Amino acid sequence: MINKFLDWCCSNRKVVLAALMLVTVAMGFFATRVEIKTVFADLLPQDHPFVKVNDEFKQSYGGSNIVSVMVEVKKGNILNIPTLAKIKKITEEVALIPGADPFQVTSLASKKLKEITASTQGIKTRPLMFPNLPHNAEEVADLRRAIANNPLVYGAYVSRDFKATLITVDFYDHLLDYRVFFDNMSKIIKDNQSPDINIRVVGQPMLYGWVSHYFAETEHLFLGTILGLFLILFLIARTWHGTLIPLLAAGTSAVWAIGFAGFMGYNLDPLVVVVAFLISALAISNSIQIIQRFDHNIDAGHESTTLAASRAALQKLFRPAMLAVVADAGCMLVVAMTPIPVLQKIAFIGGFWVLSLAVCAVILPGIAATWTKGVTKFAHPFNLKPVLHFILGGCVKAATSRGRYAIIGISATILIVSGLYATNLKIGDANPGSPILRANSEYNIDAKELSAKFQGADRLFVVVDGEKGDAIKQPDMLANMENFQRYMEAQPEVGGSLSIADVLPAVNRTLHEGNPHYLALGADPGTNGELAYLFISGSDPGDLQRYVAPDFSNASVTLFLRDHQGDTLRNVIARIEEYTAEHPLPHGRYLLAGGLGGVLAAVNDVILAGQIEAIAFALLVLVLVASITYRSLAAGTFFMVPVVLSNTLTFSYMAYYGIGMNINTLPVVALGIGLGVDYSFYVVDAIREEMHKHGNLEQAISHALNSAGMGVLTTVLTLVVSVSLWSMSSLRLQSEMAALIAIWLTISAVAALFLMPALVYVFRPAFIVGRGRAQREYTAAAVGTV
């Protein structure tokens, strides 16, 4: 049936080509509707309880899009009129950035930070530095005193050495555009930074703004990679059709995939370009195999016409090609099991893209080759084939000599060692700062400096949910919150905390003329209510909502984290759960967890739970596809070898270089499972074909490696050299993912060229050499060895 279908495609090649062109044009139309942008909500598992808490309370207690701007002087301190004027100007400009929540702007120059004083004349509440700046040295001294006496400001918004201050602003999720934010923020920095002042900006909007900023560089790298692919393919293939047809296959499949995204209404995240290159590599790999077999059929005189040569190539390679496509698509689609929208979109787009290779990278190259003349003359005089054949000859010798046992033994040792070391792989970010950018990037340096000056750049809030209104005024509720804060502040991952339990004692002390004896909570609900009223009297609506709901039914405890590494978040969540289990609230409950720390902990939690599941299902897909194709469970087990080897080695590399398993790396890892076995499909199927034709295993291995092996070697050299360009990317994630792709390709090729032929020669699987022949070959080999 398959042969009849392929015969029909070749016989009606013009009709098939016209149909493919029409589909490509239609997909090209939909591709123009695709937006390339990052949507932060797509990065979060919306059904996770942490994300639900964040969404419910982020308007009051701050969400995951808080930006911290640190203004730091190089000499002296910030308490001078020119610097304070600059702080005021930056505060006003930041509040005007599109998407900013004007009620969530906090700085010395905003209404949010206040001084409460008490005297015989009454209670007075006034902003520290709003709307007017200090006019003279005396007023500057008064500002310094007010800051130093306010524990909600000193250390939290003004550094202990008075050299830096923070401006924080939250952004509405639905109004935030990272590129617009970055452009506005960059202008503010440029206009206000001077030789005496550093301005450092940290927060998810700034991080993804940097990603958008580097998109032009990403485009250049992508174009450079295409040029590199062209040059290397042209150098090795030495023919125009051997160079252009694989690139045509990759380009056509890319148009189909992006068109599918446009049809479904999906956006493309700039960070998934590495996944796009990985699938393009699969397209090039499959099409090179078709063209290599086509050229072989012509050169060897097996077929007299290009149409016959193309038909024969498609018939011989259709099975391993479909096996690779279905396995890769299955491995990609299992990522959709992870309940994170961006991963599900990547899985569906990637799954469609890989499935499209059945047409774009198999049928299309075969049909396109029929309009060529084969290898009538070479396009340049440089012939690398003798070098490649020399390498393949070494592969044949290694697999068919006693060296095969050394290959299997070394592979087994590597598998065991790398498997054990791979257990060190971390879930979530494995290093301080952002793993998306390089360690020496401006953003990561800013994050490091800000964390050194203040309690921490990353926030996580826990909601204290009371059973009814005024529950938070209860002394035992506030005492529990206060004890919780002291407990969490003792953890090395936490730089500080803030809650209404900090505000009320400060007001109480002020009310008693600064007597530290009264730095305590009220003894009854009425007193706590009065202290809260004194705090908000004369202030703007919503000021108290940073700490507690208007009806005092719930409140927040904000923790300032040193960083958001996976281990940091897991330890913090574990300590929170430990405390809340041992010290339950008398009139309510603790709800975990909002803010950037909370939602990233949710992402890590989902990935940790789904990682093993996704990998297990990907391996199951591989086993089922191979077993059904070859009608043998042994085939499924046999093809597990290169997959497990390539994955343990890659996971070891990730663990050694501190690359965590996170939302950005998971799709590459899942697709890498399929990539780890693609080359082996072609080589093993070629051995099987030659065995059924000639019956001599050694000859079959030699022929398979010199035909299918040539395609493997050509592909891996082309792709590894081309992908090395991404090592120059300013985005650390792209550089690291490119390294992972290169490692996967190399290990997969080595396994296909050395390990798999050695395993075939030693174990003689029946699905390859035939059932009766398998026993005879094994016995003969054993006798020969003796």
Side-chain angles (χ1 to χ4, degrees):
M1 182 179 65
I2 291 173
N3 286 341
K4 287 181 179 179
F5 168 72
L6 296 173
D7 286 341
W8 184 88
C9 288
C10 292
S11 301
N12 299 274
R13 53 183 179 165
K14 292 182 180 179
V15 175
V16 174
L17 186 62
L20 293 180
M21 289 176 64
L22 285 175
V23 174
T24 304
V25 170
M27 287 299 191
F29 168 75
F30 286 112
T32 61
R33 300 165 56 179
V34 174
E35 289 187 90
I36 300 177
K37 63 179 182 179
T38 299
V39 179
F40 189 71
D42 285 350
L43 306 177
L44 308 178
Q46 297 299 327
D47 292 332
H48 195 281
F50 292 4
V51 176
K52 289 182 178 180
V53 168
N54 180 76
D55 290 345
E56 183 178 353
F57 295 100
K58 64 185 178 183
Q59 291 301 114
S60 299
Y61 304 140
S64 51
N65 283 319
I66 291 178
V67 173
S68 298
V69 182
M70 182 175 78
V71 181
E72 179 186 27
V73 295
K74 297 179 181 179
K75 297 180 181 179
N77 59 59
I78 61 168
L79 297 177
N80 58 78
I81 294 175
T83 302
L84 294 174
K86 188 151 288 188
I87 293 168
K88 184 175 187 296
K89 179 172 179 285
I90 295 171
T91 301
E92 293 169 348
E93 291 174 346
V94 166
L96 295 176
I97 295 177
D101 182 351
F103 299 106
Q104 294 285 357
V105 179
T106 306
S107 86
L108 283 176
S110 73
K111 296 181 182 180
K112 298 290 186 184
L113 300 184
K114 296 180 174 62
E115 177 189 23
I116 302 175
T117 56
S119 67
T120 55
Q121 297 178 346
I123 305 296
K124 183 180 179 182
T125 302
R126 68 173 184 87
L128 288 172
M129 201 179 74
F130 181 90
N132 300 316
L133 294 167
H135 294 93
N136 50 52
E138 183 179 350
E139 291 184 1
V140 170
D142 288 341
L143 176 61
R144 183 186 183 110
R145 175 193 52 77
I147 292 171
N149 288 330
N150 191 333
L152 303 180
V153 178
Y154 187 51
Y157 283 90
V158 177
S159 63
R160 297 287 180 181
D161 58 4
F162 286 95
K163 284 185 170 292
T165 185
L166 274 186
I167 302 167
T168 63
V169 56
D170 200 0
F171 285 80
Y172 295 111
D173 293 351
H174 63 288
L175 297 178
L176 179 61
D177 184 305
Y178 295 123
R179 187 181 292 275
V180 172
F181 166 82
F182 184 82
D183 291 342
N184 281 269
M185 195 70 244
S186 297
K187 186 177 186 303
I188 292 172
I189 295 171
K190 182 180 178 181
D191 292 346
N192 293 280
Q193 194 153 267
S194 68
D196 300 323
I197 293 178
N198 280 330
I199 300 175
R200 305 186 185 279
V201 185
V202 177
Q204 292 298 100
M206 193 65 182
L207 171 62
Y208 286 100
W210 277 110
V211 173
S212 297
H213 172 71
Y214 285 125
F215 185 68
E217 178 192 273
T218 300
E219 288 180 322
H220 295 152
L221 285 172
F222 194 79
L223 292 174
T225 303
I226 294 174
L227 178 60
L229 286 171
F230 170 80
L231 292 176
I232 299 168
L233 269 176
F234 185 62
L235 180 64
I236 296 176
R238 303 178 69 198
T239 62
W240 289 110
H241 70 274
T243 303
L244 297 178
I245 290 178
L247 295 178
L248 172 68
T252 305
S253 65
V255 171
W256 284 30
I258 298 172
F260 173 78
F263 178 79
M264 297 297 292
Y266 294 159
N267 62 287
L268 290 181
D269 193 295
L271 295 175
V272 305
V273 68
V274 179
V275 177
F277 181 81
L278 189 53
I279 300 177
S280 297
L282 298 176
I284 291 171
S285 175
N286 283 291
S287 54
I288 284 177
Q289 290 287 347
I290 298 293
I291 298 302
Q292 293 268 8
R293 181 57 68 97
F294 168 81
D295 288 341
H296 174 76
N297 290 340
I298 295 290
D299 293 345
H302 294 163
E303 306 294 342
S304 58
T305 65
T306 55
L307 185 61
S310 178
R311 181 186 290 112
L314 287 172
Q315 290 176 351
K316 296 298 183 185
L317 296 179
F318 192 79
R319 178 174 52 208
M322 289 303 99
L323 185 56
V325 166
V326 174
D328 292 339
C331 292
M332 191 76 245
L333 287 171
V334 296
V335 176
M337 296 170 58
T338 307
I340 298 176
V342 70
L343 291 182
Q344 293 173 336
K345 289 180 181 180
I346 291 172
F348 293 137
I349 296 171
F352 177 86
W353 193 341
V354 175
L355 288 173
S356 75
L357 301 185
V359 176
C360 300
V362 179
I363 302 296
L364 177 58
I367 292 174
T370 63
W371 276 286
T372 70
K373 297 179 180 179
V375 186
T376 55
K377 64 177 181 178
F378 294 109
H380 63 77
F382 304 105
N383 187 9
L384 298 182
K385 289 294 177 69
V387 177
L388 301 183
H389 279 297
F390 177 78
I391 295 172
L392 293 172
C395 297
V396 173
K397 187 175 181 180
T400 56
S401 67
R402 291 183 178 274
R404 60 185 180 271
Y405 298 109
I407 291 172
I408 295 173
I410 292 171
S411 299
T413 304
I414 292 174
L415 178 62
I416 294 170
V417 173
S418 61
L420 292 173
Y421 192 82
T423 58
N424 296 314
L425 179 65
K426 294 183 178 180
I427 304 299
D429 297 341
N431 295 291
S434 171
I436 294 175
L437 301 173
R438 295 188 181 275
N440 61 351
S441 67
E442 183 176 328
Y443 180 87
N444 280 335
I445 291 173
D446 287 355
K448 181 180 178 181
E449 293 297 324
L450 193 149
S451 294
K453 284 289 184 182
F454 293 94
Q455 297 169 329
D458 300 310
R459 303 183 182 201
L460 180 151
F461 69 77
V462 179
V463 176
V464 179
D465 187 31
E467 295 174 347
K468 57 183 179 179
D470 289 338
I472 304 302
K473 295 179 182 178
Q474 299 294 327
D476 49 0
M477 290 281 283
L478 289 167
N480 192 298
M481 290 171 61
E482 189 176 40
N483 291 335
F484 170 65
Q485 288 181 248
R486 302 296 85 79
Y487 175 78
M488 292 307 300
E489 287 173 356
Q491 310 306 319
E493 298 87 0
V494 179
S497 66
L498 184 65
S499 79
I500 189 67
D502 297 309
V503 174
L504 300 185
V507 176
N508 197 16
R509 185 184 70 169
T510 303
L511 187 63
H512 293 84
E513 301 182 348
N515 189 336
H517 178 72
Y518 291 94
L519 188 64
L521 296 163
D524 56 74
T527 302
N528 289 321
E530 291 176 3
L531 293 175
Y533 174 77
L534 291 173
F535 176 74
I536 63 173
S537 59
S539 62
D540 288 341
D543 278 5
L544 190 64
Q545 282 184 248
R546 290 194 297 149
Y547 307 102
V548 65
D551 63 353
F552 284 81
S553 61
N554 62 72
S556 73
V557 176
T558 300
L559 304 177
F560 298 92
L561 308 182
R562 301 292 187 189
D563 55 63
H564 56 256
Q565 293 183 72
D567 287 345
T568 296
L569 295 176
R570 276 187 293 277
N571 290 339
V572 168
I573 294 298
R575 298 293 79 76
I576 294 173
E577 292 175 339
E578 183 180 282
Y579 178 89
T580 55
E582 295 178 2
H583 305 87
L585 288 165
H587 309 291
R589 56 179 180 159
Y590 284 100
L591 299 177
L592 281 68
L596 178 62
V599 298
L600 290 181
V603 171
N604 294 346
D605 190 31
V606 166
I607 290 177
L608 179 62
Q611 173 200 206
I612 304 300
E613 209 172 73
I615 292 175
F617 271 96
L619 293 174
L620 179 61
V621 167
L622 172 64
V623 171
L624 289 176
V625 170
S627 298
I628 292 171
T629 301
Y630 292 106
R631 302 178 188 179
S632 168
L633 286 175
T637 306
F638 188 73
F639 285 114
M640 285 274 287
V641 175
V643 174
V644 175
L645 181 62
S646 62
N647 277 271
T648 55
L649 276 171
T650 308
F651 289 166
S652 295
Y653 175 88
M654 293 173 68
Y656 183 79
Y657 283 99
I659 304 172
M661 181 74 76
N662 55 41
I663 195 171
N664 299 306
T665 58
L666 185 60
V668 179
V669 168
L671 194 54
I673 292 175
L675 185 66
V677 74
D678 281 2
Y679 297 148
S680 295
F681 285 149
Y682 280 106
V683 170
V684 171
D685 198 78
I687 295 173
R688 182 176 184 272
E689 176 193 333
E690 290 300 318
M691 274 298 296
H692 290 183
K693 188 182 297 182
H694 303 295
N696 184 291
L697 184 54
E698 189 170 329
Q699 181 182 344
I701 291 173
S702 176
H703 189 277
L705 287 175
N706 280 285
S707 55
M710 179 62 75
V712 170
L713 207 51
T714 301
T715 302
V716 74
L717 287 174
T718 302
L719 296 177
V720 169
V721 173
S722 300
V723 82
S724 63
L725 287 174
W726 290 91
S727 62
M728 298 184 293
S729 175
S730 298
L731 296 177
R732 177 186 171 191
L733 173 71
Q734 290 181 348
S735 176
E736 290 178 339
M737 292 305 98
L740 289 183
I741 291 172
I743 290 170
W744 253 307
L745 290 169
T746 303
I747 297 170
S748 302
V750 171
L753 297 176
F754 286 94
L755 178 59
M756 299 306 284
L759 289 174
V760 170
Y761 200 86
V762 171
F763 295 104
R764 267 99 169 152
F767 78 95
I768 297 174
V769 302
R771 296 190 182 279
R773 185 183 291 121
Q775 185 59 43
R776 292 194 300 273
E777 289 278 347
Y778 183 83
T779 304
V783 171
T785 302
V786 173

